[in-house]
Short mmCIF file of all heavy atoms in Angstrom, two decimals:
data_model
loop_
_atom_site.label_atom_id
_atom_site.label_comp_id
_atom_site.label_asym_id
_atom_site.label_seq_id
_atom_site.Cartn_x
_atom_site.Cartn_y
_atom_site.Cartn_z
N ASP S 115 -60.29 70.62 -17.30
CA ASP S 115 -60.70 71.81 -18.15
C ASP S 115 -60.34 73.11 -17.64
O ASP S 115 -59.92 74.06 -18.32
CB ASP S 115 -62.09 71.59 -18.64
CG ASP S 115 -63.17 71.65 -17.63
OD1 ASP S 115 -62.85 71.24 -16.35
OD2 ASP S 115 -64.23 72.11 -17.80
N VAL S 116 -60.56 73.15 -16.25
CA VAL S 116 -60.38 74.54 -15.68
C VAL S 116 -58.85 74.76 -15.66
O VAL S 116 -58.36 75.81 -15.87
CB VAL S 116 -60.95 74.52 -14.26
CG1 VAL S 116 -60.53 75.80 -13.44
CG2 VAL S 116 -62.46 74.49 -14.26
N VAL S 117 -58.04 73.69 -15.29
CA VAL S 117 -56.56 73.86 -15.22
C VAL S 117 -56.11 74.24 -16.56
O VAL S 117 -55.25 75.11 -16.65
CB VAL S 117 -55.95 72.59 -14.59
CG1 VAL S 117 -54.46 72.62 -14.72
CG2 VAL S 117 -56.38 72.30 -13.26
N ALA S 118 -56.59 73.52 -17.63
CA ALA S 118 -56.08 73.85 -18.94
C ALA S 118 -56.46 75.21 -19.34
O ALA S 118 -55.59 75.96 -19.91
CB ALA S 118 -56.80 72.88 -19.94
N GLY S 119 -57.55 75.68 -18.87
CA GLY S 119 -57.93 77.20 -19.22
C GLY S 119 -57.01 78.09 -18.53
O GLY S 119 -56.53 79.06 -19.19
N VAL S 120 -56.69 77.98 -17.30
CA VAL S 120 -55.75 78.81 -16.57
C VAL S 120 -54.32 78.68 -17.30
O VAL S 120 -53.72 79.71 -17.48
CB VAL S 120 -55.71 78.38 -15.12
CG1 VAL S 120 -54.51 79.19 -14.39
CG2 VAL S 120 -56.97 78.75 -14.48
N LEU S 121 -53.84 77.56 -17.63
CA LEU S 121 -52.52 77.43 -18.18
C LEU S 121 -52.53 78.15 -19.53
O LEU S 121 -51.55 78.81 -19.86
CB LEU S 121 -52.23 75.93 -18.49
CG LEU S 121 -51.92 75.21 -17.06
CD1 LEU S 121 -51.80 73.56 -17.36
CD2 LEU S 121 -50.76 75.64 -16.34
N ALA S 122 -53.56 77.99 -20.28
CA ALA S 122 -53.62 78.63 -21.61
C ALA S 122 -53.52 80.08 -21.46
O ALA S 122 -52.83 80.80 -22.25
CB ALA S 122 -54.93 78.16 -22.43
N GLU S 123 -54.27 80.68 -20.53
CA GLU S 123 -54.31 82.06 -20.30
C GLU S 123 -52.99 82.64 -19.76
O GLU S 123 -52.50 83.61 -20.25
CB GLU S 123 -55.48 82.53 -19.40
CG GLU S 123 -55.58 83.91 -19.11
CD GLU S 123 -56.73 84.30 -18.23
OE1 GLU S 123 -57.73 83.42 -18.15
OE2 GLU S 123 -56.64 85.25 -17.57
N VAL S 124 -52.49 81.96 -18.79
CA VAL S 124 -51.40 82.47 -18.02
C VAL S 124 -50.01 82.20 -18.72
O VAL S 124 -49.10 83.04 -18.84
CB VAL S 124 -51.25 81.89 -16.58
CG1 VAL S 124 -49.95 82.28 -15.94
CG2 VAL S 124 -52.47 82.33 -15.81
N LEU S 125 -49.88 81.01 -19.37
CA LEU S 125 -48.58 80.68 -19.97
C LEU S 125 -48.53 80.88 -21.49
O LEU S 125 -47.45 81.02 -22.03
CB LEU S 125 -48.24 79.16 -19.67
CG LEU S 125 -48.28 78.79 -18.25
CD1 LEU S 125 -47.80 77.40 -18.13
CD2 LEU S 125 -47.28 79.69 -17.52
N ASP S 126 -49.61 80.93 -22.14
CA ASP S 126 -49.68 81.19 -23.58
C ASP S 126 -48.67 80.47 -24.39
O ASP S 126 -48.02 80.91 -25.31
CB ASP S 126 -49.42 82.64 -23.81
CG ASP S 126 -49.80 83.21 -25.14
OD1 ASP S 126 -50.77 82.64 -25.85
OD2 ASP S 126 -49.16 84.09 -25.76
N GLY S 127 -48.65 79.17 -24.15
CA GLY S 127 -47.84 78.22 -24.83
C GLY S 127 -48.16 76.85 -24.58
O GLY S 127 -49.08 76.51 -23.69
N PRO S 128 -47.63 75.77 -25.22
CA PRO S 128 -47.97 74.47 -25.06
C PRO S 128 -47.53 73.81 -23.75
O PRO S 128 -46.50 74.08 -23.24
CB PRO S 128 -47.25 73.78 -26.31
CG PRO S 128 -46.11 74.72 -26.68
CD PRO S 128 -46.57 76.05 -26.23
N VAL S 129 -48.55 73.04 -23.26
CA VAL S 129 -48.28 72.29 -21.93
C VAL S 129 -48.84 70.86 -22.11
O VAL S 129 -49.89 70.63 -22.64
CB VAL S 129 -49.12 73.00 -20.83
CG1 VAL S 129 -48.83 72.27 -19.59
CG2 VAL S 129 -48.59 74.40 -20.70
N VAL S 130 -47.95 69.86 -21.75
CA VAL S 130 -48.34 68.51 -21.78
C VAL S 130 -48.64 68.06 -20.46
O VAL S 130 -48.00 68.50 -19.39
CB VAL S 130 -47.09 67.61 -22.37
CG1 VAL S 130 -47.43 66.23 -22.24
CG2 VAL S 130 -46.71 67.99 -23.77
N CYS S 131 -49.67 67.23 -20.25
CA CYS S 131 -50.10 66.67 -18.96
C CYS S 131 -49.75 65.25 -18.96
O CYS S 131 -50.23 64.46 -19.94
CB CYS S 131 -51.58 66.89 -18.70
SG CYS S 131 -52.03 66.23 -17.13
N HIS S 132 -49.04 64.76 -17.97
CA HIS S 132 -48.83 63.38 -17.69
C HIS S 132 -49.73 63.20 -16.47
O HIS S 132 -49.27 63.41 -15.33
CB HIS S 132 -47.39 63.01 -17.44
CG HIS S 132 -46.53 63.07 -18.68
ND1 HIS S 132 -45.44 62.16 -18.87
CD2 HIS S 132 -46.60 63.81 -19.77
CE1 HIS S 132 -44.97 62.38 -20.05
NE2 HIS S 132 -45.56 63.43 -20.56
N PRO S 133 -50.91 62.59 -16.69
CA PRO S 133 -51.90 62.53 -15.58
C PRO S 133 -51.40 61.88 -14.28
O PRO S 133 -50.63 60.92 -14.32
CB PRO S 133 -53.03 61.67 -16.15
CG PRO S 133 -52.92 61.93 -17.68
CD PRO S 133 -51.33 62.02 -17.90
N GLY S 134 -51.74 62.46 -13.16
CA GLY S 134 -51.39 61.88 -11.92
C GLY S 134 -50.03 62.18 -11.45
O GLY S 134 -49.50 61.81 -10.37
N ALA S 135 -49.25 62.99 -12.23
CA ALA S 135 -47.90 63.37 -11.82
C ALA S 135 -47.38 64.70 -12.14
O ALA S 135 -47.04 65.45 -11.21
CB ALA S 135 -46.98 62.27 -12.58
N TRP S 136 -47.31 65.00 -13.44
CA TRP S 136 -46.68 66.36 -13.82
C TRP S 136 -47.44 67.00 -14.99
O TRP S 136 -48.06 66.36 -15.80
CB TRP S 136 -45.24 65.98 -14.30
CG TRP S 136 -44.50 65.14 -13.44
CD1 TRP S 136 -44.26 63.89 -13.60
CD2 TRP S 136 -43.80 65.53 -12.29
NE1 TRP S 136 -43.36 63.38 -12.66
CE2 TRP S 136 -43.11 64.40 -11.74
CE3 TRP S 136 -43.65 66.67 -11.56
CZ2 TRP S 136 -42.38 64.40 -10.65
CZ3 TRP S 136 -42.85 66.76 -10.43
CH2 TRP S 136 -42.30 65.63 -9.99
N TYR S 137 -47.13 68.26 -15.05
CA TYR S 137 -47.40 69.01 -16.27
C TYR S 137 -46.02 69.49 -16.75
O TYR S 137 -45.07 69.77 -16.00
CB TYR S 137 -48.28 70.30 -15.92
CG TYR S 137 -49.65 70.08 -15.78
CD1 TYR S 137 -50.28 69.74 -14.55
CD2 TYR S 137 -50.60 70.10 -16.93
CE1 TYR S 137 -51.54 69.50 -14.39
CE2 TYR S 137 -51.95 69.86 -16.71
CZ TYR S 137 -52.46 69.58 -15.43
OH TYR S 137 -53.80 69.42 -15.29
N TYR S 138 -45.85 69.57 -18.05
CA TYR S 138 -44.64 70.03 -18.72
C TYR S 138 -44.92 71.22 -19.60
O TYR S 138 -45.72 71.21 -20.56
CB TYR S 138 -44.00 68.99 -19.46
CG TYR S 138 -43.38 67.80 -18.73
CD1 TYR S 138 -44.22 66.63 -18.42
CD2 TYR S 138 -42.13 67.87 -18.37
CE1 TYR S 138 -43.70 65.71 -17.65
CE2 TYR S 138 -41.59 66.70 -17.66
CZ TYR S 138 -42.43 65.69 -17.35
OH TYR S 138 -41.89 64.59 -16.56
N ALA S 139 -44.41 72.45 -19.16
CA ALA S 139 -44.52 73.59 -20.03
C ALA S 139 -43.29 73.56 -20.99
O ALA S 139 -42.14 73.50 -20.55
CB ALA S 139 -44.49 74.91 -19.15
N LEU S 140 -43.60 73.74 -22.28
CA LEU S 140 -42.52 73.82 -23.24
C LEU S 140 -42.02 75.26 -23.28
O LEU S 140 -42.80 76.22 -23.50
CB LEU S 140 -43.00 73.41 -24.51
CG LEU S 140 -43.46 71.93 -24.65
CD1 LEU S 140 -43.75 71.52 -26.10
CD2 LEU S 140 -42.60 71.01 -23.96
N VAL S 141 -40.75 75.53 -23.04
CA VAL S 141 -40.14 76.81 -22.95
C VAL S 141 -38.94 76.87 -23.86
O VAL S 141 -38.48 75.91 -24.42
CB VAL S 141 -39.74 77.08 -21.52
CG1 VAL S 141 -40.85 77.17 -20.48
CG2 VAL S 141 -38.67 76.13 -21.03
N PRO S 142 -38.46 78.13 -24.11
CA PRO S 142 -37.31 78.28 -25.12
C PRO S 142 -36.11 77.44 -24.66
O PRO S 142 -35.83 77.21 -23.50
CB PRO S 142 -36.95 79.68 -25.03
CG PRO S 142 -38.34 80.38 -24.62
CD PRO S 142 -38.91 79.39 -23.67
N ALA S 143 -35.37 76.88 -25.61
CA ALA S 143 -34.17 76.11 -25.36
C ALA S 143 -33.21 76.97 -24.63
O ALA S 143 -33.14 78.21 -24.86
CB ALA S 143 -33.48 75.65 -26.71
N GLY S 144 -32.45 76.45 -23.62
CA GLY S 144 -31.54 77.18 -22.85
C GLY S 144 -32.13 77.64 -21.50
O GLY S 144 -31.43 78.14 -20.66
N THR S 145 -33.41 77.50 -21.38
CA THR S 145 -34.09 77.82 -20.06
C THR S 145 -33.41 77.12 -18.98
O THR S 145 -33.23 77.74 -17.88
CB THR S 145 -35.54 77.61 -20.17
OG1 THR S 145 -36.15 78.40 -21.06
CG2 THR S 145 -36.20 77.93 -18.77
N CYS S 146 -33.07 75.91 -19.14
CA CYS S 146 -32.43 75.12 -18.06
C CYS S 146 -31.15 75.71 -17.49
O CYS S 146 -30.78 75.55 -16.32
CB CYS S 146 -32.22 73.72 -18.45
SG CYS S 146 -30.94 73.53 -19.71
N GLU S 147 -30.49 76.56 -18.30
CA GLU S 147 -29.26 77.14 -17.87
C GLU S 147 -29.46 78.36 -16.94
O GLU S 147 -28.53 78.72 -16.32
CB GLU S 147 -28.36 77.56 -19.13
CG GLU S 147 -28.01 76.41 -19.94
CD GLU S 147 -27.55 76.76 -21.34
OE1 GLU S 147 -27.31 77.94 -21.68
OE2 GLU S 147 -27.50 75.80 -22.15
N THR S 148 -30.64 79.05 -17.04
CA THR S 148 -30.91 80.20 -16.25
C THR S 148 -32.09 79.90 -15.23
O THR S 148 -32.34 80.90 -14.46
CB THR S 148 -31.31 81.34 -17.17
OG1 THR S 148 -32.42 81.02 -17.94
CG2 THR S 148 -30.12 81.72 -18.01
N TRP S 149 -32.58 78.85 -15.22
CA TRP S 149 -33.74 78.52 -14.32
C TRP S 149 -33.38 78.60 -12.86
O TRP S 149 -32.38 78.02 -12.38
CB TRP S 149 -34.37 77.12 -14.58
CG TRP S 149 -35.58 76.84 -13.88
CD1 TRP S 149 -35.72 76.01 -12.77
CD2 TRP S 149 -36.93 77.26 -14.21
NE1 TRP S 149 -37.01 75.98 -12.35
CE2 TRP S 149 -37.82 76.76 -13.19
CE3 TRP S 149 -37.42 78.14 -15.09
CZ2 TRP S 149 -39.20 77.05 -13.12
CZ3 TRP S 149 -38.76 78.43 -15.17
CH2 TRP S 149 -39.60 77.78 -14.23
N ARG S 150 -34.19 79.40 -12.12
CA ARG S 150 -33.86 79.56 -10.69
C ARG S 150 -35.02 79.20 -9.71
O ARG S 150 -34.88 79.28 -8.46
CB ARG S 150 -33.48 80.99 -10.42
CG ARG S 150 -32.21 81.40 -11.12
CD ARG S 150 -30.97 80.73 -10.57
NE ARG S 150 -29.76 81.13 -11.29
CZ ARG S 150 -29.13 80.38 -12.21
NH1 ARG S 150 -29.61 79.22 -12.42
NH2 ARG S 150 -28.15 80.84 -12.90
N ALA S 151 -36.18 78.85 -10.23
CA ALA S 151 -37.28 78.47 -9.33
C ALA S 151 -37.16 77.06 -8.78
O ALA S 151 -37.02 76.05 -9.55
CB ALA S 151 -38.61 78.60 -10.18
N ALA S 152 -37.18 76.98 -7.45
CA ALA S 152 -37.00 75.69 -6.83
C ALA S 152 -38.15 74.76 -6.83
O ALA S 152 -37.96 73.49 -6.70
CB ALA S 152 -36.65 75.89 -5.30
N GLU S 153 -39.26 75.33 -7.29
CA GLU S 153 -40.45 74.44 -7.34
C GLU S 153 -40.45 73.46 -8.50
O GLU S 153 -41.38 72.55 -8.54
CB GLU S 153 -41.76 75.32 -7.44
CG GLU S 153 -42.10 76.09 -6.28
CD GLU S 153 -41.30 77.50 -6.26
OE1 GLU S 153 -40.72 77.83 -7.27
OE2 GLU S 153 -41.34 78.09 -5.11
N ALA S 154 -39.69 73.54 -9.39
CA ALA S 154 -39.63 72.69 -10.64
C ALA S 154 -38.23 72.59 -11.27
O ALA S 154 -37.46 73.47 -10.97
CB ALA S 154 -40.56 73.24 -11.69
N VAL S 155 -38.14 71.59 -12.01
CA VAL S 155 -36.76 71.37 -12.67
C VAL S 155 -37.09 71.50 -14.23
O VAL S 155 -38.21 71.30 -14.73
CB VAL S 155 -36.07 69.97 -12.35
CG1 VAL S 155 -35.85 69.89 -10.93
CG2 VAL S 155 -37.14 68.90 -12.78
N VAL S 156 -36.08 71.82 -14.97
CA VAL S 156 -36.12 71.98 -16.33
C VAL S 156 -35.33 70.81 -17.03
O VAL S 156 -34.19 70.60 -16.61
CB VAL S 156 -35.61 73.33 -16.83
CG1 VAL S 156 -35.71 73.48 -18.34
CG2 VAL S 156 -36.31 74.43 -16.12
#
């Protein structure tokens, strides 16, 4: 619930949790073409 609250406040968009592994932030189409952050893949 704390993580969800932070995600809602900071990202202001839908996020799916796959428990024990990943969170997925839904971002505009085409983000994968310009993504530069090494911490995650699109």
Side-chain angles (χ1 to χ4, degrees):
D115 60 331
V116 173
V117 173
V120 169
L121 292 172
E123 180 180 331
V124 172
L125 301 184
D126 193 33
V129 179
V130 174
C131 180
H132 285 218
W136 311 102
Y137 282 90
Y138 290 89
L140 302 187
V141 295
T145 298
C146 64
E147 296 163 13
T148 59
W149 185 257
R150 299 290 178 255
E153 291 85 8
V155 297
V156 180

